[in-house]
Amino acid sequence: MDQSHLEAFIAVCQTLNFTTAAKHLHISQSAVTARIRALEQVVGKRLFDRDNRTVKLTRSGIAFLPYAERMLQLIQESKLSLSEQYREHIVVSGPGSVWQYRYLNRILDFRDRHPHVAVKFLSYIDPSYMIRDLLLDGTVNLAIKLDPPDHQGISKRLLFEDEIILVGGDGAAELCAPNFSAPTYCHIDWGKPFTEWFTNLVEPGFIPALQTDHSSSMLAMLLSNSVFGFLPKSMADPYLQSNRLYQIPLPVELPLIKGYACYLTEKREQPHIQLALELLGVDAT
């Protein structure tokens, strides 16, 4: 399956417009059309329904999209792995908050100590998809997952535990009975233990007025005194110490989240797994 065909398919998926996709790829619209037709011949299915005004994915196109993305990722990773510029190449993935607030300095220190090792760390990958597929096909060598389920063939190493606390800006310390239905509450899902715990605090079918999955955006809104919401204590601590954020007391025990390093058990002794564990400060023995 030709790489250029996959790139054309994903570009059209992202834009739903052949002309815009052609501009993005710096090729002609007729070339995009030809590549999509060639790809449809290979897979044996029509991938787009299109007329003079609209383009939309068929059911086959929707089903094929994650495989196309993975194939392109594997092609890129294979190029890096075969490169002679570096002796080893490791790819790790996890929530963006984990990299930003726990491991950025470790990554930089690791690069100083291992100049011949290339490091790629990813954050915008669905965790369940990552565990199920990306580890298994080798796109990711090691994944940081919050409270992962047991998975046959995948080893888990505990990295950290963190308490989830409710915080806000000025005046939050006096907020004794927080109203989660208020427009100033911003919700972020910190994983299964937190979700189950939070469900007991709200009414069935609760829908927050404001919700995000981006921890940096959440923190920015908290620091602007626009909202109140939940953060891991390790992320909130610097701002609690400087009185830029305040913890809001709750009359219940606070939940804990646990972060694990996950990797294929059969590859435990391979250099890229050992190096990835070292990067995270885990004893590889």
Side-chain angles (χ1 to χ4, degrees):
M1 196 168 290
D2 193 285
Q3 178 179 347
S4 65
H5 297 168
L6 295 171
E7 291 172 340
F9 170 70
I10 290 174
V12 175
C13 287
Q14 292 172 339
T15 62
L16 294 180
N17 186 290
F18 276 62
T19 301
T20 305
K23 292 179 180 177
H24 176 74
L25 296 171
H26 304 290
I27 58 177
S28 66
Q29 181 179 333
S30 61
V32 171
T33 301
R35 292 179 186 184
I36 296 299
R37 286 176 178 169
L39 183 60
E40 289 176 330
Q41 289 179 351
V42 172
V43 300
K45 298 286 184 180
R46 191 176 73 257
L47 300 175
F48 295 101
D49 283 327
R50 52 194 183 273
D51 55 33
N52 292 332
R53 299 185 63 183
T54 62
V55 175
K56 62 181 181 179
L57 282 160
T58 63
R59 292 180 62 182
S60 296
I62 293 170
F64 181 67
L65 177 57
Y67 294 101
E69 292 172 334
R70 286 169 60 197
M71 282 187 280
L72 273 181
Q73 287 176 330
L74 286 171
I75 289 170
Q76 296 302 319
E77 296 305 331
S78 68
K79 291 179 179 178
L80 289 170
S81 297
L82 295 173
S83 170
E84 296 181 358
Q85 183 179 357
Y86 297 101
R87 295 174 186 169
E88 293 289 344
H89 176 251
I90 60 176
V91 183
V92 289
S93 185
S97 59
V98 167
W99 299 128
Q100 185 167 353
Y101 300 103
R102 284 188 176 273
Y103 291 113
L104 279 186
N105 288 336
R106 291 201 64 90
I107 291 171
L108 298 176
D109 290 342
F110 180 88
R111 284 293 301 124
D112 288 339
R113 289 184 282 109
H114 298 281
H116 299 296
V117 178
V119 178
K120 183 176 183 179
F121 61 101
L122 306 172
S123 60
Y124 293 103
I125 295 181
D126 174 70
S128 60
Y129 178 74
M130 175 174 58
I131 292 295
R132 185 176 60 250
D133 295 316
L134 299 184
L135 280 174
L136 296 175
D137 67 23
T139 304
V140 168
N141 305 132
L142 182 147
I144 297 178
K145 179 75 169 67
L146 300 179
D147 296 283
D150 292 330
H151 192 295
Q152 185 178 5
I154 293 179
S155 293
K156 300 188 297 185
R157 301 284 293 276
L158 180 64
L159 295 174
F160 59 83
E161 294 183 348
D162 213 342
E163 191 176 43
I164 301 295
I165 63 175
L166 186 63
V167 297
D170 290 340
E174 288 76 37
L175 188 59
C176 298
N179 178 12
F180 297 113
S181 296
T184 51
Y185 170 68
C186 184
H187 187 74
I188 188 167
D189 188 349
W190 293 106
K192 184 177 179 181
F194 168 78
T195 302
E196 293 175 348
W197 173 87
F198 183 75
T199 300
N200 294 321
L201 296 182
V202 296
E203 297 293 328
F206 169 79
I207 298 176
L210 185 61
Q211 186 169 4
T212 182
D213 63 352
H214 197 283
S215 58
S216 294
S217 297
M218 177 73 165
L219 181 58
M221 287 189 289
L222 287 165
L223 292 173
S224 71
N225 202 27
S226 302
V227 301
F228 68 98
F230 289 95
L231 284 183
K233 193 171 187 299
S234 63
M235 188 187 303
D237 260 341
Y239 306 100
L240 296 173
Q241 297 297 326
S242 61
N243 294 325
R244 297 185 65 193
L245 289 178
Y246 299 88
Q247 183 170 352
I248 301 170
L250 290 173
V252 293
E253 186 176 353
L254 296 173
L256 284 177
I257 58 172
K258 298 179 180 181
Y260 291 84
C262 303
Y263 53 90
L264 291 181
T265 303
E266 64 184 27
K267 296 186 177 182
R268 179 184 309 165
E269 304 304 322
Q270 294 188 3
H272 56 267
I273 299 298
Q274 299 289 303
L275 288 165
L277 290 171
E278 179 186 338
L279 183 151
L280 298 174
V282 178
D283 184 1
T285 59

